Amino acid sequence: MWFAGPARRIPPAGRPKALRLGFDLAPGMRVGLFGGSFNPAHEGHAHVAETARRRLDLDRVIWLVSPQNPLKPTHETADLADRMAGARAFADGPDMIVSDAETRLGSQYTIDTVRALKARFPGVKFVWIMGADSLATFHRWRGWTQIMREVPVAVVSRPWISLKSRFAPAAVRFRAFRLPAHRAMGLPDVRPPAWVFLFGRFNFQSSTALRARQRRPAEPKG
């Protein structure tokens, strides 16, 4: 069984300033980092990204398409190029950027990605964005407590899991640092640990359901 543990203090990504990530950010910008496999991307992802962008008044939301989620089997993960193309189809508008930065940085874990981007773009106000389904399993991520102390976190409600996720180990451990929803716009300016739970309309699409539908044999015509 895989267990989460503390991450290395120095990310294995090397010197981030020497790398070209395909986007540029200016000091003072408010930027959401929305990581995931996007296997495949769907309207639910767009809903999470747009809800965070609007409620937190973000300048950019960067969709970080992971090369491979360590918690998911490799045989179920589509090629990175296909997942990037799928994410671009739903990342609507100039404020949404789809990036393979994790592949370029050589980082396998979110904590390494966050630290590398903070080093590459000093003065940028980063916020980690996730759906409530990710919060429910956040305690299984490598260095999850360190992530909470590196950047503020915005959690967007998702169907079926929203109530349960509020009692997840990460939510319980950091309950003293949760901001009320009406203070969400100020989250990028708050020193971590700090997080907020954003309620909104539900979007019922999920990558798991879409993959199951794709595997289902087509019904014969007749």
Side-chain angles (χ1 to χ4, degrees), residues 13 21 23 35-37 64-69 80 99-114 117 128:
L21 300 180
F23 57 85
S37 300
L64 294 168
V65 184
S66 65
Q68 172 60 46
N69 187 328
L80 178 62
S99 173
D100 60 351
E102 289 192 312
T103 299
R104 299 187 186 208
L105 291 168
S107 59
Q108 184 180 9
Y109 300 105
T110 295
I111 184 62
D112 296 331
T113 303
V114 167
L117 291 176
W128 187 261

Side-chain angles (χ1 to χ4, degrees), residues 19 46 134 188:
L19 299 172
S134 293

Side-chain angles (χ1 to χ4, degrees), residues 114-138:
V114 167
R115 286 174 174 165
L117 291 176
K118 287 179 64 178
R120 174 64 178 83
F121 300 107
V124 172
K125 300 176 181 180
F126 288 111
V127 175
W128 187 261
I129 300 169
M130 68 171 75
D133 46 345
S134 293
L135 178 63
T137 59
F138 189 49

Side-chain angles (χ1 to χ4, degrees), residues 6 18 22 50 53-54 56 59 67 77 86 89 104 107 121 124 127 139-141 148 155 164 166 171 176 178 203 209:
E50 177 58 27
R53 187 203 63 78
R54 178 172 46 84
L56 275 60
D59 297 301
T77 304
R104 299 187 186 208
S107 59
F121 300 107
V124 172
V127 175
H139 58 287
R140 296 177 60 199
W141 294 25
M148 292 291 288
V155 182
K164 181 180 178 181
R166 294 170 66 192
R178 181 183 172 188
N203 185 293

Side-chain angles (χ1 to χ4, degrees), residues 16-84:
K17 287 191 176 182
L19 299 172
R20 295 183 178 180
L21 300 180
F23 57 85
D24 199 16
L25 305 172
M29 291 183 71
R30 301 156 63 91
V31 178
L33 301 175
F34 183 31
S37 300
F38 303 106
N39 185 42
H42 53 73
E43 290 180 359
H45 293 131
H47 164 68
V48 170
E50 177 58 27
T51 298
R53 187 203 63 78
R54 178 172 46 84
R55 298 280 295 276
L56 275 60
D57 191 27
L58 300 175
D59 297 301
R60 301 285 188 277
V61 175
I62 301 176
W63 297 45
L64 294 168
V65 184
S66 65
Q68 172 60 46
N69 187 328
L71 296 178
K72 296 181 179 180
T74 57
H75 70 275
E76 291 187 0
T77 304
D79 289 341
L80 178 62
D82 293 336
R83 292 183 285 118
M84 291 276 290

Side-chain angles (χ1 to χ4, degrees), residues 175-188:
R175 61 180 175 270
F177 300 97
R178 181 183 172 188
L179 301 181
H182 70 268
R183 291 183 55 193
M185 195 167 291
L187 182 67

